[in-house]
Amino acid sequence: AGPPPVTRYNLNNVTITNDPVANRENVLILTPMARFYQEYWDNLLKLSYPHELITLGFILPKTKEGNAATIELQKQIAKVQKNALEKERFKSIIILRQDFDPPIPSQDESERHKMANQKARRAAMAKARNSLLFTTLGPDTSWVLWLDADIVETPPTLIQDLASHSKPLTVPNCFQKFYNPEKKAMDERPYDFNNWQDSPTAQELASKMGKDDILLEGYADMATYRALMAYMYEAGADIHTEVPLDGVGGTALLVKAEVHRDGAMFPAFPFYHLIETEGFAKMAKRLGWQATGLPNYKVYHYNE
Ligand code: GDP
Ligand code: MN
């Protein structure tokens, strides 16, 4: 046997277009997962993007909950990859277990949203996202879809719809369905407040902060007066309406792989007083890539 073969990839042959199905573009779906939700999995299986072009990547914490989620995830994966029809199978699937402990053991919605817990929690999430990204992004990846494990409902055409905008970063509007006791009926409310347009007030706040302090969105104690995409939804309006964004969330977020390849990642440290996904939008922007929000295009977060 001779020397090992060399595999060559011309990155300029890896297209990233507004018609990724026709151009057979590979999509990497990345999910940090603390809990397994069947609704997330069922929704994922319903995505109409050709599964043979999709690689799935997961990262789970080494907690009791993370262990349980890993077992459930593996069970579901085995079903699809071994038993399902050829066309339902994904190209490949990668599961990573985190090599660091999450700083906040409790995962209740109220606990994890406490302001005091934010910096450590978001830094840990940033590290988890970076580990996942840097170990799975391949030379043939065209798109990265960040999809949280508690996103339980999206249109099946999610990838095609977001990619059709052909933007570096594209974010739908993340809502949550809940039972409204006043209306005695199901209702919905905005969930992800990390999709925003910057404001002079937030800039002013940042300018007076210590270098390790971070700005947070959605807390009464820190009124930023940023324009939140969560409140830009207009019923009946065009789902493809675009707005420019300065901060993004990671619940569902489509990124051109070249943005990550350029080095845009999730800062686990205060970057312009921003961290994790919001810091990512800022870093992308510094590299010349602008984020775009779709205020009328909804996806849904689980309701605990
Ligand atoms: P929130 O919806 O903004 O409150 O954030 P979540 O707690 O839902 O976390 C965002 C995503 O990361 C979800 O998919 C979680 O399952 C996942 N997640 C939360 N904590 C951890 C963690 O410590 N490690 C990993 N790998 N994933 C986590
Ligand atoms: Mn969540």
Side-chain angles (χ1 to χ4, degrees):
V6 174
T7 312
R8 292 179 48 149
Y9 290 89
N10 280 333
L11 288 176
N12 55 355
N13 292 342
V14 180
T15 64
I16 309 181
T17 66
N18 64 358
D19 193 358
V21 176
N23 293 309
R24 308 276 306 157
E25 291 169 4
N26 288 296
V27 179
L28 177 62
I29 302 183
L30 296 182
T31 300
M33 179 179 279
R35 289 179 187 173
F36 179 86
Y37 290 107
Q38 191 62 46
E39 296 92 331
Y40 157 88
W41 187 253
D42 294 343
N43 184 70
L44 186 73
L45 296 187
K46 279 190 239 146
L47 291 181
S48 62
Y49 199 86
H51 287 195
E52 78 266 18
L53 296 175
I54 297 180
T55 294
L56 304 177
F58 301 91
I59 187 164
L60 300 96
K62 275 196 167 162
T63 54
K64 207 171 150 211
E65 244 185 355
N67 294 344
T70 306
I71 291 169
E72 193 52 41
L73 178 63
Q74 277 168 330
K75 234 198 290 180
Q76 299 295 331
I77 288 172
K79 260 203 258 177
V80 174
Q81 298 301 85
K82 292 195 188 118
N83 307 334
L85 300 170
E86 182 89 38
K87 73 175 193 33
E88 290 172 359
R89 294 182 202 152
F90 294 98
K91 181 178 181 181
S92 63
I93 303 182
I94 299 151
I95 299 179
L96 305 176
R97 297 306 300 276
Q98 228 163 270
D99 56 1
F100 57 89
D101 294 325
I104 315 291
S106 163
Q107 285 277 307
D108 292 340
E109 193 174 313
S110 66
E111 187 63 24
R112 64 175 201 261
H113 287 176
K114 274 184 191 155
M115 205 164 164
N117 289 340
Q118 285 308 296
K119 200 167 151 189
R121 193 179 85 86
R122 298 283 305 270
M125 282 309 306
K127 284 191 192 176
R129 290 188 193 280
N130 288 333
S131 292
L132 183 56
L133 174 64
F134 290 123
T135 51
T136 57
L137 188 73
D140 60 355
T141 310
S142 291
W143 301 90
V144 177
L145 176 68
W146 290 94
L147 190 64
D148 276 355
D150 44 18
I151 294 303
V152 291
E153 190 185 333
T154 70
T157 49
L158 177 72
I159 296 169
Q160 297 93 315
D161 293 345
L162 300 184
S164 73
H165 288 261
S166 203
K167 298 291 187 192
L169 285 73
T170 310
V171 207
N173 213 351
C174 182
F175 273 60
Q176 184 177 53
K177 292 185 176 169
F178 72 106
Y179 180 77
N180 186 335
E182 277 159 37
K183 294 188 185 169
K184 291 199 169 60
M186 286 308 286
D187 200 353
E188 50 183 69
R189 58 190 168 209
Y191 183 84
D192 196 342
F193 297 112
N194 291 338
N195 300 308
W196 44 257
Q197 297 171 334
D198 213 352
S199 69
T201 308
Q203 288 292 307
E204 176 78 16
L205 280 171
S207 73
K208 290 179 183 151
M209 280 181 156
K211 81 176 193 0
D212 287 331
D213 292 337
I214 56 167
L215 284 163
L216 294 166
E217 195 47 68
Y219 295 88
D221 291 355
M222 195 189 274
T224 62
Y225 298 97
R226 288 165 174 161
L228 306 185
M229 181 165 79
Y231 299 129
M232 294 178 193
Y233 169 74
E234 273 182 77
D238 181 7
I239 58 164
H240 289 295
T241 301
E242 298 177 353
V243 298
L245 295 175
D246 300 302
V248 302
T251 51
L253 163 66
L254 186 72
V255 182
K256 286 187 174 177
E258 60 191 326
V259 175
H260 285 311
R261 277 198 276 269
D262 270 0
M265 48 67 152
F266 302 91
F269 49 86
F271 178 73
Y272 290 80
H273 302 286
L274 301 171
I275 198 165
E276 207 219 351
T277 57
E278 295 163 290
F280 166 60
K282 183 71 177 178
M283 199 178 289
K285 191 153 185 164
R286 296 288 284 123
L287 286 161
W289 305 106
Q290 169 70 48
T292 300
L294 308 181
N296 302 321
Y297 193 100
K298 284 183 183 166
V299 300
Y300 293 93
H301 189 279
Y302 187 80
N303 182 16
E304 284 172 36

mmCIF file of all heavy atoms in Angstrom, residues 196-240:
data_model
loop_
_atom_site.group_PDB
_atom_site.id
_atom_site.type_symbol
_atom_site.label_atom_id
_atom_site.label_comp_id
_atom_site.label_asym_id
_atom_site.label_seq_id
_atom_site.Cartn_x
_atom_site.Cartn_y
_atom_site.Cartn_z
ATOM 1 N N TRP A 196 -33.006 41.049 18.287
ATOM 2 C CA TRP A 196 -33.283 42.476 18.491
ATOM 3 C C TRP A 196 -32.450 43.378 17.605
ATOM 4 O O TRP A 196 -31.438 42.972 17.034
ATOM 5 C CB TRP A 196 -33.072 42.873 19.950
ATOM 6 C CG TRP A 196 -31.839 42.334 20.619
ATOM 7 C CD1 TRP A 196 -31.789 41.287 21.499
ATOM 8 C CD2 TRP A 196 -30.477 42.797 20.486
ATOM 9 N NE1 TRP A 196 -30.490 41.073 21.905
ATOM 10 C CE2 TRP A 196 -29.658 41.989 21.300
ATOM 11 C CE3 TRP A 196 -29.860 43.812 19.751
ATOM 12 C CZ2 TRP A 196 -28.284 42.155 21.409
ATOM 13 C CZ3 TRP A 196 -28.480 43.996 19.845
ATOM 14 C CH2 TRP A 196 -27.702 43.173 20.678
ATOM 15 N N GLN A 197 -32.960 44.610 17.533
ATOM 16 C CA GLN A 197 -32.224 45.690 16.874
ATOM 17 C C GLN A 197 -31.708 46.603 17.980
ATOM 18 O O GLN A 197 -32.438 46.912 18.923
ATOM 19 C CB GLN A 197 -33.147 46.475 15.937
ATOM 20 C CG GLN A 197 -33.673 45.609 14.803
ATOM 21 C CD GLN A 197 -34.754 46.283 13.988
ATOM 22 O OE1 GLN A 197 -35.465 47.168 14.477
ATOM 23 N NE2 GLN A 197 -34.905 45.864 12.747
ATOM 24 N N ASP A 198 -30.485 47.007 17.859
ATOM 25 C CA ASP A 198 -29.841 47.777 18.918
ATOM 26 C C ASP A 198 -30.505 49.138 19.128
ATOM 27 O O ASP A 198 -31.216 49.636 18.252
ATOM 28 C CB ASP A 198 -28.364 47.962 18.568
ATOM 29 C CG ASP A 198 -27.500 47.997 19.818
ATOM 30 O OD1 ASP A 198 -28.057 48.031 20.935
ATOM 31 O OD2 ASP A 198 -26.270 47.989 19.674
ATOM 32 N N SER A 199 -30.281 49.707 20.324
ATOM 33 C CA SER A 199 -30.864 51.013 20.647
ATOM 34 C C SER A 199 -29.782 51.915 21.253
ATOM 35 O O SER A 199 -28.806 51.418 21.814
ATOM 36 C CB SER A 199 -31.983 50.835 21.671
ATOM 37 O OG SER A 199 -31.421 50.437 22.911
ATOM 38 N N PRO A 200 -29.976 53.221 21.160
ATOM 39 C CA PRO A 200 -29.025 54.149 21.811
ATOM 40 C C PRO A 200 -28.940 53.881 23.318
ATOM 41 O O PRO A 200 -27.864 53.986 23.905
ATOM 42 C CB PRO A 200 -29.624 55.534 21.536
ATOM 43 C CG PRO A 200 -30.501 55.343 20.335
ATOM 44 C CD PRO A 200 -31.017 53.942 20.399
ATOM 45 N N THR A 201 -30.077 53.513 23.949
ATOM 46 C CA THR A 201 -30.067 53.249 25.398
ATOM 47 C C THR A 201 -29.148 52.073 25.726
ATOM 48 O O THR A 201 -28.362 52.141 26.677
ATOM 49 C CB THR A 201 -31.499 52.936 25.901
ATOM 50 O OG1 THR A 201 -32.361 53.981 25.461
ATOM 51 C CG2 THR A 201 -31.548 52.815 27.409
ATOM 52 N N ALA A 202 -29.255 51.007 24.944
ATOM 53 C CA ALA A 202 -28.409 49.832 25.189
ATOM 54 C C ALA A 202 -26.940 50.176 24.984
ATOM 55 O O ALA A 202 -26.073 49.752 25.765
ATOM 56 C CB ALA A 202 -28.822 48.687 24.265
ATOM 57 N N GLN A 203 -26.663 50.980 23.963
ATOM 58 C CA GLN A 203 -25.285 51.414 23.703
ATOM 59 C C GLN A 203 -24.734 52.215 24.880
ATOM 60 O O GLN A 203 -23.595 52.034 25.296
ATOM 61 C CB GLN A 203 -25.259 52.282 22.433
ATOM 62 C CG GLN A 203 -25.477 51.500 21.155
ATOM 63 C CD GLN A 203 -24.315 50.581 20.846
ATOM 64 O OE1 GLN A 203 -23.171 51.013 20.804
ATOM 65 N NE2 GLN A 203 -24.599 49.300 20.683
ATOM 66 N N GLU A 204 -25.597 53.087 25.392
ATOM 67 C CA GLU A 204 -25.248 53.950 26.525
ATOM 68 C C GLU A 204 -24.968 53.093 27.770
ATOM 69 O O GLU A 204 -23.967 53.282 28.460
ATOM 70 C CB GLU A 204 -26.427 54.912 26.760
ATOM 71 C CG GLU A 204 -26.320 55.836 27.947
ATOM 72 C CD GLU A 204 -25.405 57.033 27.667
ATOM 73 O OE1 GLU A 204 -25.114 57.278 26.477
ATOM 74 O OE2 GLU A 204 -24.986 57.684 28.649
ATOM 75 N N LEU A 205 -25.863 52.137 28.034
ATOM 76 C CA LEU A 205 -25.680 51.221 29.165
ATOM 77 C C LEU A 205 -24.339 50.489 29.035
ATOM 78 O O LEU A 205 -23.568 50.400 29.997
ATOM 79 C CB LEU A 205 -26.802 50.170 29.199
ATOM 80 C CG LEU A 205 -28.154 50.558 29.781
ATOM 81 C CD1 LEU A 205 -29.176 49.448 29.522
ATOM 82 C CD2 LEU A 205 -28.034 50.829 31.273
ATOM 83 N N ALA A 206 -24.077 49.984 27.842
ATOM 84 C CA ALA A 206 -22.847 49.225 27.599
ATOM 85 C C ALA A 206 -21.607 50.086 27.835
ATOM 86 O O ALA A 206 -20.624 49.620 28.411
ATOM 87 C CB ALA A 206 -22.848 48.669 26.177
ATOM 88 N N SER A 207 -21.706 51.343 27.430
ATOM 89 C CA SER A 207 -20.530 52.221 27.531
ATOM 90 C C SER A 207 -20.152 52.491 28.987
ATOM 91 O O SER A 207 -19.022 52.849 29.283
ATOM 92 C CB SER A 207 -20.782 53.532 26.787
ATOM 93 O OG SER A 207 -21.700 54.327 27.513
ATOM 94 N N LYS A 208 -21.120 52.305 29.896
ATOM 95 C CA LYS A 208 -20.846 52.576 31.317
ATOM 96 C C LYS A 208 -20.548 51.308 32.108
ATOM 97 O O LYS A 208 -20.354 51.353 33.322
ATOM 98 C CB LYS A 208 -22.061 53.293 31.938
ATOM 99 C CG LYS A 208 -22.210 54.708 31.415
ATOM 100 C CD LYS A 208 -23.429 55.401 32.001
ATOM 101 C CE LYS A 208 -23.592 56.774 31.396
ATOM 102 N NZ LYS A 208 -25.024 57.173 31.372
ATOM 103 N N MET A 209 -20.548 50.176 31.412
ATOM 104 C CA MET A 209 -20.356 48.900 32.123
ATOM 105 C C MET A 209 -18.884 48.581 32.323
ATOM 106 O O MET A 209 -18.030 49.037 31.564
ATOM 107 C CB MET A 209 -20.946 47.769 31.283
ATOM 108 C CG MET A 209 -22.431 47.651 31.420
ATOM 109 S SD MET A 209 -23.005 46.280 30.406
ATOM 110 C CE MET A 209 -24.524 45.941 31.304
ATOM 111 N N GLY A 210 -18.639 47.745 33.312
ATOM 112 C CA GLY A 210 -17.303 47.188 33.485
ATOM 113 C C GLY A 210 -17.007 46.267 32.313
ATOM 114 O O GLY A 210 -17.926 45.802 31.648
ATOM 115 N N LYS A 211 -15.741 45.987 32.072
ATOM 116 C CA LYS A 211 -15.414 45.269 30.839
ATOM 117 C C LYS A 211 -15.932 43.826 30.810
ATOM 118 O O LYS A 211 -16.123 43.263 29.742
ATOM 119 C CB LYS A 211 -13.918 45.345 30.536
ATOM 120 C CG LYS A 211 -13.011 44.391 31.277
ATOM 121 C CD LYS A 211 -11.589 44.579 30.751
ATOM 122 C CE LYS A 211 -10.586 43.526 31.141
ATOM 123 N NZ LYS A 211 -10.930 42.401 31.959
ATOM 124 N N ASP A 212 -16.196 43.255 31.975
ATOM 125 C CA ASP A 212 -16.703 41.879 32.002
ATOM 126 C C ASP A 212 -18.218 41.794 32.171
ATOM 127 O O ASP A 212 -18.768 40.709 32.329
ATOM 128 C CB ASP A 212 -16.009 41.088 33.118
ATOM 129 C CG ASP A 212 -14.567 40.774 32.742
ATOM 130 O OD1 ASP A 212 -14.294 40.656 31.522
ATOM 131 O OD2 ASP A 212 -13.725 40.670 33.646
ATOM 132 N N ASP A 213 -18.886 42.944 32.149
ATOM 133 C CA ASP A 213 -20.345 42.922 32.326
ATOM 134 C C ASP A 213 -21.040 42.686 30.997
ATOM 135 O O ASP A 213 -20.540 43.068 29.942
ATOM 136 C CB ASP A 213 -20.829 44.252 32.918
ATOM 137 C CG ASP A 213 -20.332 44.423 34.353
ATOM 138 O OD1 ASP A 213 -20.033 43.384 34.981
ATOM 139 O OD2 ASP A 213 -20.228 45.574 34.809
ATOM 140 N N ILE A 214 -22.218 42.066 31.089
ATOM 141 C CA ILE A 214 -22.959 41.806 29.854
ATOM 142 C C ILE A 214 -24.346 42.434 29.895
ATOM 143 O O ILE A 214 -24.965 42.559 30.949
ATOM 144 C CB ILE A 214 -23.095 40.289 29.554
ATOM 145 C CG1 ILE A 214 -23.737 39.545 30.723
ATOM 146 C CG2 ILE A 214 -21.749 39.692 29.191
ATOM 147 C CD1 ILE A 214 -24.185 38.130 30.365
ATOM 148 N N LEU A 215 -24.811 42.802 28.725
ATOM 149 C CA LEU A 215 -26.180 43.297 28.555
ATOM 150 C C LEU A 215 -27.084 42.089 28.380
ATOM 151 O O LEU A 215 -26.722 41.128 27.699
ATOM 152 C CB LEU A 215 -26.275 44.144 27.286
ATOM 153 C CG LEU A 215 -25.696 45.555 27.336
ATOM 154 C CD1 LEU A 215 -25.502 46.072 25.919
ATOM 155 C CD2 LEU A 215 -26.615 46.476 28.125
ATOM 156 N N LEU A 216 -28.261 42.150 28.996
ATOM 157 C CA LEU A 216 -29.227 41.057 28.843
ATOM 158 C C LEU A 216 -30.534 41.636 28.351
ATOM 159 O O LEU A 216 -30.844 42.789 28.592
ATOM 160 C CB LEU A 216 -29.428 40.347 30.179
ATOM 161 C CG LEU A 216 -28.196 39.601 30.710
ATOM 162 C CD1 LEU A 216 -28.380 39.219 32.163
ATOM 163 C CD2 LEU A 216 -27.921 38.365 29.862
ATOM 164 N N GLU A 217 -31.278 40.807 27.645
ATOM 165 C CA GLU A 217 -32.539 41.287 27.083
ATOM 166 C C GLU A 217 -33.701 40.601 27.802
ATOM 167 O O GLU A 217 -33.578 39.442 28.184
ATOM 168 C CB GLU A 217 -32.598 40.987 25.582
ATOM 169 C CG GLU A 217 -33.658 41.731 24.852
ATOM 170 C CD GLU A 217 -33.704 43.212 25.186
ATOM 171 O OE1 GLU A 217 -32.771 43.932 24.836
ATOM 172 O OE2 GLU A 217 -34.689 43.657 25.812
ATOM 173 N N GLY A 218 -34.788 41.331 27.983
ATOM 174 C CA GLY A 218 -35.986 40.721 28.561
ATOM 175 C C GLY A 218 -36.037 40.809 30.082
ATOM 176 O O GLY A 218 -36.770 40.065 30.725
ATOM 177 N N TYR A 219 -35.237 41.713 30.665
ATOM 178 C CA TYR A 219 -35.245 41.886 32.125
ATOM 179 C C TYR A 219 -35.633 43.316 32.471
ATOM 180 O O TYR A 219 -35.025 44.267 31.978
ATOM 181 C CB TYR A 219 -33.871 41.543 32.720
ATOM 182 C CG TYR A 219 -33.542 40.083 32.535
ATOM 183 C CD1 TYR A 219 -32.919 39.648 31.381
ATOM 184 C CD2 TYR A 219 -33.920 39.141 33.490
ATOM 185 C CE1 TYR A 219 -32.653 38.303 31.172
ATOM 186 C CE2 TYR A 219 -33.664 37.797 33.299
ATOM 187 C CZ TYR A 219 -33.023 37.383 32.138
ATOM 188 O OH TYR A 219 -32.779 36.058 31.937
ATOM 189 N N ALA A 220 -36.651 43.458 33.336
ATOM 190 C CA ALA A 220 -37.159 44.775 33.693
ATOM 191 C C ALA A 220 -36.071 45.642 34.338
ATOM 192 O O ALA A 220 -36.036 46.855 34.147
ATOM 193 C CB ALA A 220 -38.351 44.635 34.639
ATOM 194 N N ASP A 221 -35.152 44.988 35.091
ATOM 195 C CA ASP A 221 -34.071 45.720 35.768
ATOM 196 C C ASP A 221 -33.075 46.334 34.807
ATOM 197 O O ASP A 221 -32.219 47.101 35.217
ATOM 198 C CB ASP A 221 -33.271 44.756 36.664
ATOM 199 C CG ASP A 221 -34.101 44.300 37.842
ATOM 200 O OD1 ASP A 221 -35.226 44.805 37.980
ATOM 201 O OD2 ASP A 221 -33.609 43.439 38.592
ATOM 202 N N MET A 222 -33.137 45.933 33.542
ATOM 203 C CA MET A 222 -32.165 46.416 32.573
ATOM 204 C C MET A 222 -32.920 46.804 31.303
ATOM 205 O O MET A 222 -32.898 46.097 30.302
ATOM 206 C CB MET A 222 -31.144 45.313 32.279
ATOM 207 C CG MET A 222 -29.897 45.797 31.566
ATOM 208 S SD MET A 222 -28.855 44.440 31.017
ATOM 209 C CE MET A 222 -27.870 44.119 32.483
ATOM 210 N N ALA A 223 -33.619 47.940 31.370
ATOM 211 C CA ALA A 223 -34.418 48.366 30.212
ATOM 212 C C ALA A 223 -33.492 48.860 29.108
ATOM 213 O O ALA A 223 -32.789 49.854 29.287
ATOM 214 C CB ALA A 223 -35.399 49.456 30.629
ATOM 215 N N THR A 224 -33.489 48.161 27.992
ATOM 216 C CA THR A 224 -32.549 48.489 26.907
ATOM 217 C C THR A 224 -33.199 49.282 25.774
ATOM 218 O O THR A 224 -32.515 49.862 24.954
ATOM 219 C CB THR A 224 -31.988 47.200 26.269
ATOM 220 O OG1 THR A 224 -33.089 46.486 25.703
ATOM 221 C CG2 THR A 224 -31.262 46.332 27.291
ATOM 222 N N TYR A 225 -34.523 49.249 25.735
ATOM 223 C CA TYR A 225 -35.295 49.878 24.645
ATOM 224 C C TYR A 225 -34.831 49.421 23.261
ATOM 225 O O TYR A 225 -34.943 50.149 22.279
ATOM 226 C CB TYR A 225 -35.269 51.416 24.763
ATOM 227 C CG TYR A 225 -35.901 51.850 26.057
ATOM 228 C CD1 TYR A 225 -35.103 52.142 27.174
ATOM 229 C CD2 TYR A 225 -37.285 51.902 26.184
ATOM 230 C CE1 TYR A 225 -35.679 52.489 28.384
ATOM 231 C CE2 TYR A 225 -37.874 52.253 27.390
ATOM 232 C CZ TYR A 225 -37.068 52.547 28.488
ATOM 233 O OH TYR A 225 -37.642 52.879 29.674
ATOM 234 N N ARG A 226 -34.316 48.201 23.194
ATOM 235 C CA ARG A 226 -34.020 47.653 21.881
ATOM 236 C C ARG A 226 -35.343 47.297 21.208
ATOM 237 O O ARG A 226 -36.340 47.047 21.891
ATOM 238 C CB ARG A 226 -33.194 46.371 22.020
ATOM 239 C CG ARG A 226 -31.754 46.580 22.455
ATOM 240 C CD ARG A 226 -31.225 45.246 22.894
ATOM 241 N NE ARG A 226 -29.811 45.236 23.225
ATOM 242 C CZ ARG A 226 -29.262 44.284 23.970
ATOM 243 N NH1 ARG A 226 -30.006 43.300 24.464
ATOM 244 N NH2 ARG A 226 -27.983 44.312 24.225
ATOM 245 N N ALA A 227 -35.355 47.254 19.873
ATOM 246 C CA ALA A 227 -36.556 46.823 19.150
ATOM 247 C C ALA A 227 -36.508 45.299 19.036
ATOM 248 O O ALA A 227 -35.599 44.750 18.422
ATOM 249 C CB ALA A 227 -36.596 47.473 17.771
ATOM 250 N N LEU A 228 -37.454 44.635 19.680
ATOM 251 C CA LEU A 228 -37.461 43.174 19.732
ATOM 252 C C LEU A 228 -38.267 42.588 18.581
ATOM 253 O O LEU A 228 -39.427 42.974 18.370
ATOM 254 C CB LEU A 228 -38.048 42.695 21.058
ATOM 255 C CG LEU A 228 -37.409 43.249 22.330
ATOM 256 C CD1 LEU A 228 -38.034 42.580 23.556
ATOM 257 C CD2 LEU A 228 -35.894 43.058 22.328
ATOM 258 N N MET A 229 -37.668 41.644 17.879
ATOM 259 C CA MET A 229 -38.405 41.011 16.781
ATOM 260 C C MET A 229 -39.649 40.300 17.303
ATOM 261 O O MET A 229 -40.655 40.199 16.597
ATOM 262 C CB MET A 229 -37.532 40.020 16.009
ATOM 263 C CG MET A 229 -38.309 39.379 14.859
ATOM 264 S SD MET A 229 -37.312 38.547 13.642
ATOM 265 C CE MET A 229 -36.949 37.002 14.464
ATOM 266 N N ALA A 230 -39.574 39.802 18.527
ATOM 267 C CA ALA A 230 -40.713 39.112 19.132
ATOM 268 C C ALA A 230 -42.003 39.940 19.027
ATOM 269 O O ALA A 230 -43.092 39.385 18.892
ATOM 270 C CB ALA A 230 -40.397 38.803 20.592
ATOM 271 N N TYR A 231 -41.859 41.277 19.068
ATOM 272 C CA TYR A 231 -43.042 42.145 19.018
ATOM 273 C C TYR A 231 -43.313 42.704 17.627
ATOM 274 O O TYR A 231 -44.167 43.562 17.453
ATOM 275 C CB TYR A 231 -42.890 43.285 20.032
ATOM 276 C CG TYR A 231 -42.768 42.786 21.454
ATOM 277 C CD1 TYR A 231 -41.737 43.209 22.289
ATOM 278 C CD2 TYR A 231 -43.689 41.863 21.962
ATOM 279 C CE1 TYR A 231 -41.619 42.730 23.586
ATOM 280 C CE2 TYR A 231 -43.587 41.374 23.248
ATOM 281 C CZ TYR A 231 -42.543 41.814 24.059
ATOM 282 O OH TYR A 231 -42.436 41.329 25.342
ATOM 283 N N MET A 232 -42.572 42.235 16.634
ATOM 284 C CA MET A 232 -42.775 42.759 15.279
ATOM 285 C C MET A 232 -43.712 41.888 14.455
ATOM 286 O O MET A 232 -43.986 42.189 13.300
ATOM 287 C CB MET A 232 -41.426 42.872 14.539
ATOM 288 C CG MET A 232 -40.492 43.893 15.148
ATOM 289 S SD MET A 232 -38.911 43.909 14.249
ATOM 290 C CE MET A 232 -37.904 44.870 15.385
ATOM 291 N N TYR A 233 -44.191 40.801 15.060
ATOM 292 C CA TYR A 233 -45.082 39.908 14.325
ATOM 293 C C TYR A 233 -46.363 40.621 13.939
ATOM 294 O O TYR A 233 -46.975 41.301 14.755
ATOM 295 C CB TYR A 233 -45.414 38.676 15.177
ATOM 296 C CG TYR A 233 -46.515 37.840 14.597
ATOM 297 C CD1 TYR A 233 -46.277 37.038 13.480
ATOM 298 C CD2 TYR A 233 -47.804 37.878 15.128
ATOM 299 C CE1 TYR A 233 -47.297 36.294 12.916
ATOM 300 C CE2 TYR A 233 -48.830 37.129 14.574
ATOM 301 C CZ TYR A 233 -48.573 36.342 13.470
ATOM 302 O OH TYR A 233 -49.574 35.613 12.908
ATOM 303 N N GLU A 234 -46.761 40.459 12.688
ATOM 304 C CA GLU A 234 -48.034 41.026 12.231
ATOM 305 C C GLU A 234 -48.877 39.910 11.630
ATOM 306 O O GLU A 234 -48.480 39.302 10.626
ATOM 307 C CB GLU A 234 -47.792 42.054 11.116
ATOM 308 C CG GLU A 234 -47.525 43.460 11.579
ATOM 309 C CD GLU A 234 -47.349 44.382 10.366
ATOM 310 O OE1 GLU A 234 -48.368 44.743 9.749
ATOM 311 O OE2 GLU A 234 -46.186 44.683 10.036
ATOM 312 N N ALA A 235 -50.047 39.657 12.247
ATOM 313 C CA ALA A 235 -50.919 38.579 11.775
ATOM 314 C C ALA A 235 -51.312 38.838 10.325
ATOM 315 O O ALA A 235 -51.669 39.963 9.958
ATOM 316 C CB ALA A 235 -52.161 38.494 12.654
ATOM 317 N N GLY A 236 -51.228 37.787 9.521
ATOM 318 C CA GLY A 236 -51.674 37.882 8.138
ATOM 319 C C GLY A 236 -50.679 38.532 7.189
ATOM 320 O O GLY A 236 -50.884 38.546 5.985
ATOM 321 N N ALA A 237 -49.593 39.062 7.734
ATOM 322 C CA ALA A 237 -48.603 39.724 6.876
ATOM 323 C C ALA A 237 -47.703 38.685 6.200
ATOM 324 O O ALA A 237 -47.695 37.512 6.577
ATOM 325 C CB ALA A 237 -47.782 40.711 7.682
ATOM 326 N N ASP A 238 -46.932 39.133 5.233
ATOM 327 C CA ASP A 238 -46.047 38.262 4.456
ATOM 328 C C ASP A 238 -45.034 37.557 5.365
ATOM 329 O O ASP A 238 -44.299 38.211 6.103
ATOM 330 C CB ASP A 238 -45.316 39.135 3.423
ATOM 331 C CG ASP A 238 -44.377 38.339 2.523
ATOM 332 O OD1 ASP A 238 -44.380 37.088 2.612
ATOM 333 O OD2 ASP A 238 -43.646 38.973 1.738
ATOM 334 N N ILE A 239 -45.000 36.216 5.286
ATOM 335 C CA ILE A 239 -44.065 35.472 6.145
ATOM 336 C C ILE A 239 -42.614 35.716 5.742
ATOM 337 O O ILE A 239 -41.702 35.404 6.495
ATOM 338 C CB ILE A 239 -44.336 33.936 6.149
ATOM 339 C CG1 ILE A 239 -44.251 33.344 4.738
ATOM 340 C CG2 ILE A 239 -45.668 33.617 6.814
ATOM 341 C CD1 ILE A 239 -44.129 31.828 4.738
ATOM 342 N N HIS A 240 -42.404 36.266 4.554
ATOM 343 C CA HIS A 240 -41.023 36.487 4.117
ATOM 344 C C HIS A 240 -40.522 37.920 4.338
ATOM 345 O O HIS A 240 -39.458 38.292 3.852
ATOM 346 C CB HIS A 240 -40.850 36.060 2.659
ATOM 347 C CG HIS A 240 -40.895 34.564 2.500
ATOM 348 N ND1 HIS A 240 -39.937 33.744 3.045
ATOM 349 C CD2 HIS A 240 -41.795 33.747 1.902
ATOM 350 C CE1 HIS A 240 -40.237 32.473 2.775
ATOM 351 N NE2 HIS A 240 -41.363 32.454 2.079
#
